[in-house]
Amino acid sequence: MVKKFRLGNPFNTDAVVEKIEPCGIDAFPLELSVGENVTIEFNLEKDDMVFGLGEAVRGINKRGWIYESWCTDETNHTEDKRALYGAHNFIVVSGKTKFGLFVDYPSKIEWDLGYSSPEKCVIKFENPDADLYYIDGESELDIVKQFRKIIGKSYIPPFWAFGYQQSCWGYSKQEDFVNVRESHRENNLPLDCIYMDIDYMEHFKDFTVNRELFPDFKAFVSEMKAHNIHLIPIIDAGVKKEKGYSVYDEGHENGYFCTDKDGNEFECGVWPGIVGLPDFLNSDARRWFGSKYKVLTDMGIDGFWNDMNEPALFYSKQGLNKAFDKLDKIRGKEVDIWGFFESKNAVLGIQNSMDDYKSFYHNADGKRVCHKDVHNIYGSFMTRAAGEYFEEEFGKENKLIFSRASYIGAHRTSGIWFGDNFSWWEHILLNLKMLPSVNMCGFLYSGADLGGFNNNASRDLMLRWLALGVFTPLMRNHRALGTRAQEAYQFGDCKDFADVLAVRYRLIPYLYSTFRNASENDEMIFKPLAFEYPDDKIAREVEDQLMLGSECMIAPVYEQNKTARNVYLPEDMTFVKLSGENVYKEELKKGWHYLNIELNEVPLFVKKGKNIPLAKPALNTAELERENLENLL
Ligand code: MIG
C-alpha cells in the first residue's frame, strides 16, 4: 500500500500522477525530524539491502555509500562521486521488513545509506516542503510496481528506436553521415540511426541548421530516410543570446528566460557563448520551447536528444568576474603556494557552481522560485516540453526523445541516456548495474554510450560492450570529440561486429514486446537477481548478471583478455550463445559455471519452461520481418 505524507507546502514536481490523500505526518512510519534540515532515519539489519536511486555510481545494492540527488554535469563516473545527471529519489529497503520510500522534493537530498554509520540510513534535505511516499508490499518487485503505478506509464519510443544507432561528437559535414551509413552497409553491419551532435547547428544555436554544411537539409534528411536511416539531432538547454536570432528574440520578448535577483535575464556561458536559460517551469515558456522542435520535425526529423539540461553552466558572468577579482588581487604580488591553489580553484570552481544555481529564478506560473530550490526538475521539464509537444502534435510513440538530466516524471514522456562514461571495462559493469535501478524509477528507454564516451576504445572492449548493448532498449555507440574512432567498422575485420549486431536484430521482436509489457504493466525489464530469488543468498549478492523480462538472465563478459566468465545460475537454465545466425544451446544445472564466451558471441540464459522468439537478421528495423518468428529453443 502507498501512503503519502505531506511536509509543508511542496513544489509540484508532477512526478506522481495518481491522486492520493495525504495521511497525517505524525503517522509517518520512519523517524522524521524537522530542524535546520529535514532528516529521515531508519536502522538497517545486518543483511538488509537498499535498492534504487536510478542513475548513480556503485552497486545495485546501494548500501554503504553516501549519494546525493543533484543533477550534475559530471563527466567522471568514478566511485568517489555522489551524484550524476539524474535525481531519482526512490529506494526500496529489502530485509525482514521491506518498504519503498519516494522523497518528492526538487532540490538537493543527501542519502547516507549506511556510510557514516553502517547500521543506519539518514536522508537529509534542507527545506521542510516535500511529499513523502511510504510503500509496503509483499516483495521488492511488488513495491516497485506500486510505485510505478502512481508515477504513470513509461514512455514508449517508435519501433525503429530499437535498432542499432551510431553517434559521435565530431560528425559535422553531410559526407560524414553518408560515410557512416555506407560503411555500415558495405560491411553488412545493421544501422537505424545516426546522431547529429552540436556541430550541425549554426554557432550552437538551437533549432538552426548550418547551411554551409547542409545546403538542403530537408532533402538530406529524406535521402537518409530512403536508406532507412533516421538522423537524430541534439538540442541543448541554453539559447544563445543574440539579437536577430528568432528563438532568442521570442524568448526575450515574452520573458521566457530565467532571471537574476533584480529581474534581469540571467546570463551564463555554455557552447554558444552567453545564453538565456529557458524557464521550463513556466508552462507558457515550456509550450513555446516545445513548439520550436517543429523547425526540425518540418524537415523530416523524428528523434532528438536533449543535452546540458542539468543545467550545465560553464560559467556565469558574475562567477567569471569573481574569479578575475581574485586573480587581480594577487597580480604582481608574491603568492605562497596556498595563495596559488586558492586562485587556481577560484577559476576552476566557476563551472556548475552552487553560487550560480542560487542566483537565478523561475517564474513558475506566477510563483517566483529560486533555481536552487527546484534544480532537479529543470532538465525533466525541458524534455517534457518536447515530449508533450510531440504527443499533442503527432500522437504517442511517434518521436524518439531522450534526455541527459532527469527527475522521476520525465519517464512518462522520454527516455534517458547515462551521459559521459569512459572507454573503461569497469564502465561496462556500471552500465549493467544502472539498468535495474533506472527501471525501478520508471525509466525504461535508456542506455549508456556503448564503447565509452571519453577515452579510447579497444576492439575487444567495443565488442564486449555491444554484447551488453544488444539487450538495452537504447543501443547507441557514442564517443567524444578527439577520441579513437569506434564505429563497428573501425577495427579491421568486421565479421565479429556483424555477428554481435545481427543478434540485436534477431532479438528485437522479443525485446520490443518485453519493453511494451514493462511499460503497460509497470514491470521492470531488468531486475537484480535478488528480486527473483530473495531466499538464495548467492543470487542476492550477484551484481554482474541481471534478469531480463520474465524469461531470461544475462551475464556479459566485462573484463579484458577473458574468453570465459563465472556465471551463477539460481535455477536450472538453458545456456545460449547467439552469434550471427548461429545458436549454441546447453542445459545447465543450478550453481556456478565457468563458461567460454568468444568475442563474437552474445550469452543468454533461458529459464526452464520458457522460450523466446527469434527473427531473421536484418540490416535495419524497416526490413526486419516481425512475423514468422522461430523459437529459440
Ligand atoms: O560539454 O555535445 O553528454 O554526449 O557529445 C559536452 C557534446 C557536451 C555532453 C554530452 C555528450 C555530447 C557532448 N555534450
Side-chain angles (χ1 to χ4, degrees):
M1 187 156 103
V2 182
K3 285 193 183 138
K4 173 178 177 178
F5 302 88
R6 175 157 283 187
L7 261 183
N9 182 19
F11 189 89
N12 182 11
T13 66
D14 274 330
V16 171
V17 289
E18 209 165 276
K19 268 231 157 346
I20 304 173
E21 274 309 309
C23 312
I25 192 78
D26 293 340
F28 187 64
L30 307 170
E31 205 179 309
L32 175 76
S33 81
V34 182
E36 206 172 302
N37 287 298
V38 179
T39 58
I40 299 170
E41 290 188 32
F42 53 90
N43 292 327
L44 294 173
E45 308 239 344
K46 184 170 164 288
D47 295 326
D48 286 2
M49 301 167 83
V50 186
F51 297 99
L53 294 186
E55 191 182 17
V57 296
R58 297 201 174 214
I60 296 177
N61 179 357
K62 298 250 126 8
R63 183 169 179 172
W65 184 240
I66 184 164
Y67 298 88
E68 266 169 21
S69 293
W70 184 257
C71 296
T72 306
D73 173 17
E74 173 58 74
T75 197
N76 282 300
H77 307 175
T78 44
E79 61 181 67
D80 54 321
K81 298 294 153 45
R82 295 180 176 188
L84 297 175
Y85 315 86
H88 304 149
N89 306 339
F90 175 59
I91 56 169
V92 170
V93 178
S94 153
K96 264 187 230 109
T97 46
K98 296 182 200 296
F99 65 90
L101 177 70
F102 173 48
V103 181
D104 191 6
Y105 174 79
S107 189
K108 192 182 225 153
I109 307 176
E110 193 183 275
W111 306 78
D112 185 338
L113 305 177
Y115 166 75
S116 300
S117 144
E119 247 76 280
K120 204 174 207 176
C121 287
V122 183
I123 300 160
K124 196 153 89 184
F125 51 92
E126 201 179 277
N127 306 324
D129 301 301
D131 279 328
L132 309 174
Y133 295 82
Y134 182 92
I135 309 171
D136 49 24
E138 282 159 25
S139 65
E140 294 78 2
L141 187 61
D142 175 43
I143 292 166
V144 170
K145 288 184 71 161
Q146 293 185 58
F147 176 60
R148 292 272 302 281
K149 181 154 182 281
I150 66 165
I151 59 173
K153 300 270 170 273
S154 302
Y155 163 79
I156 303 179
F159 181 72
W160 51 262
F162 289 82
Y164 177 57
Q165 319 187 2
Q166 182 61 52
S167 183
C168 163
W169 176 9
Y171 298 155
S172 51
K173 322 179 277 311
Q174 239 164 253
E175 297 86 276
D176 296 341
F177 297 89
V178 172
N179 180 34
V180 172
R181 180 188 85 203
E182 289 307 306
S183 304
H184 280 83
R185 287 294 129 87
E186 283 158 19
N187 292 294
N188 206 28
L189 299 162
L191 189 68
D192 267 272
C193 301
I194 308 179
Y195 281 71
M196 310 184 80
D197 209 316
I198 47 177
D199 300 305
Y200 79 87
M201 297 183 229
E202 241 170 60
H203 305 291
F204 308 127
K205 288 189 277 189
D206 279 342
F207 313 114
T208 67
V209 177
N210 185 316
R211 289 228 183 113
E212 273 166 40
L213 298 173
F214 303 93
D216 186 347
F217 188 60
K218 194 171 179 179
F220 183 59
V221 175
S222 91
E223 181 205 317
M224 294 299 267
K225 275 259 177 77
H227 288 87
N228 293 316
I229 296 291
H230 299 259
L231 289 172
I232 315 293
I234 196 170
I235 301 292
D236 279 4
V239 169
K240 185 174 175 64
K241 185 179 165 96
E242 183 183 277
K243 292 228 162 68
Y245 162 41
S246 66
V247 181
Y248 175 74
D249 288 343
E250 286 169 28
H252 176 74
E253 277 154 29
N254 291 297
Y256 288 160
F257 293 115
C258 294
T259 52
D260 64 16
K261 66 175 189 327
D262 304 319
N264 301 315
E265 249 161 49
F266 175 72
E267 298 186 345
C268 57
V270 209
W271 290 107
I274 294 296
V275 301
L277 291 176
D279 189 353
F280 298 115
L281 274 62
N282 174 308
S283 51
D284 292 334
R286 197 159 65 235
R287 227 165 297 139
W288 162 74
F289 195 85
S291 72
K292 290 289 120 189
Y293 286 76
K294 184 173 192 298
V295 173
L296 292 158
T297 55
D298 279 352
M299 297 198 227
I301 291 294
D302 46 17
F304 299 88
W305 48 315
N306 282 347
D307 192 18
M308 307 299 273
N309 51 1
E310 291 71 28
L313 310 178
F314 291 166
Y315 62 89
S316 68
K317 281 202 165 164
Q318 44 163 17
L320 205 56
N321 286 339
K322 254 201 217 150
F324 279 130
D325 287 348
K326 254 227 157 101
L327 294 180
D328 281 343
K329 269 197 203 124
I330 61 163
R331 191 197 292 274
K333 296 202 185 103
E334 196 137 318
V335 271
D336 63 8
I337 204 68
W338 306 114
F340 164 75
F341 283 133
E342 206 189 306
S343 1
K344 185 180 129 193
N345 293 340
V347 176
L348 294 179
I350 62 178
Q351 201 164 338
N352 303 323
S353 93
M354 187 52 102
D355 282 349
D356 286 340
Y357 292 128
K358 279 182 180 163
S359 73
F360 65 93
Y361 296 81
H362 298 270
N363 168 9
D365 298 340
K367 192 171 160 200
R368 187 168 158 88
V369 284
C370 177
H371 176 77
K372 185 210 97 198
D373 294 327
V374 288
H375 174 78
N376 285 342
I377 56 174
Y378 184 80
S380 266
F381 277 45
M382 171 192 185
T383 300
R384 192 176 147 187
E388 286 176 352
Y389 170 71
F390 297 151
E391 279 195 26
E392 260 170 49
E393 201 62 24
F394 308 100
K396 282 185 180 282
E397 300 180 35
N398 190 277
K399 298 282 174 274
L400 171 61
I401 172 83
F402 60 90
S403 177
R404 196 171 69 175
S406 60
Y407 186 85
I408 292 171
H411 70 285
R412 295 191 299 269
T413 46
S414 68
I416 50 172
W417 95 99
F418 304 157
D420 303 348
N421 55 10
F422 275 70
S423 299
W424 291 340
W425 290 89
E426 65 189 65
H427 276 180
I428 300 181
L429 194 52
L430 182 63
N431 180 172
L432 178 136
K433 290 176 179 180
M434 278 190 203
L435 293 166
S437 310
V438 301
N439 278 190
M440 287 173 68
C441 300
F443 293 96
L444 299 183
Y445 192 77
S446 60
D449 289 352
L450 302 173
F453 176 77
N454 295 296
N455 227 323
N456 300 317
S458 59
R459 181 176 190 276
D460 51 355
L461 174 125
M462 194 65 238
L463 281 163
R464 293 304 198 191
W465 211 326
L466 287 174
L468 166 62
V470 155
F471 299 104
T472 62
L474 167 63
M475 187 189 187
R476 183 178 77 141
N477 175 341
H478 180 48
R479 69 177 173 93
L481 194 65
T483 58
R484 180 186 184 185
Q486 66 188 38
E487 293 84 3
Y489 51 82
Q490 299 283 8
F491 300 94
D493 186 4
C494 300
K495 173 76 172 47
D496 289 350
F497 286 89
D499 283 347
V500 171
L501 295 178
V503 174
R504 168 66 168 206
Y505 285 76
R506 299 206 74 189
L507 288 172
I508 283 179
Y510 169 64
L511 296 171
Y512 185 69
S513 70
T514 304
F515 187 98
R516 286 204 78 93
N517 173 51
S519 168
E520 282 156 15
N521 300 306
D522 306 321
E523 293 284 352
M524 294 167 70
I525 299 170
F526 300 103
K527 277 174 289 207
L529 271 58
F531 280 28
E532 284 198 24
Y533 307 93
D535 302 322
D536 180 332
K537 262 201 107 155
I538 302 175
R540 272 175 79 77
E541 291 189 0
V542 167
E543 293 222 358
D544 57 357
Q545 305 173 194
L546 295 175
M547 303 314 294
L548 164 66
S550 46
E551 295 78 15
C552 306
M553 182 177 80
I554 60 169
V557 177
Y558 55 89
E559 286 177 302
Q560 191 156 30
N561 302 319
K562 290 275 163 73
T563 52
R565 64 159 283 179
N566 280 309
V567 180
Y568 179 69
L569 267 57
E571 58 177 300
D572 296 357
M573 290 183 179
T574 310
F575 170 42
V576 178
K577 289 189 279 188
L578 295 158
S579 180
E581 300 215 45
N582 295 330
V583 181
Y584 168 90
K585 301 169 205 173
E586 186 184 345
E587 301 299 326
L588 295 178
K589 292 276 168 217
K590 174 180 167 151
W592 284 103
H593 296 271
Y594 189 64
L595 300 172
N596 176 261
I597 301 152
E598 298 297 331
L599 281 173
N600 65 341
E601 293 175 329
V602 179
L604 182 65
F605 301 81
V606 184
K607 290 189 194 171
K608 270 265 152 331
K610 303 278 185 182
N611 207 344
I612 65 168
L614 277 186
K616 293 195 186 64
L619 287 181
N620 51 64
T621 52
E623 291 168 7
L624 183 78
E625 161 117 62
R626 293 168 72 179
E627 316 275 299
N628 303 320
L629 306 174
E630 56 179 281
N631 281 325
L632 170 65
L633 301 180

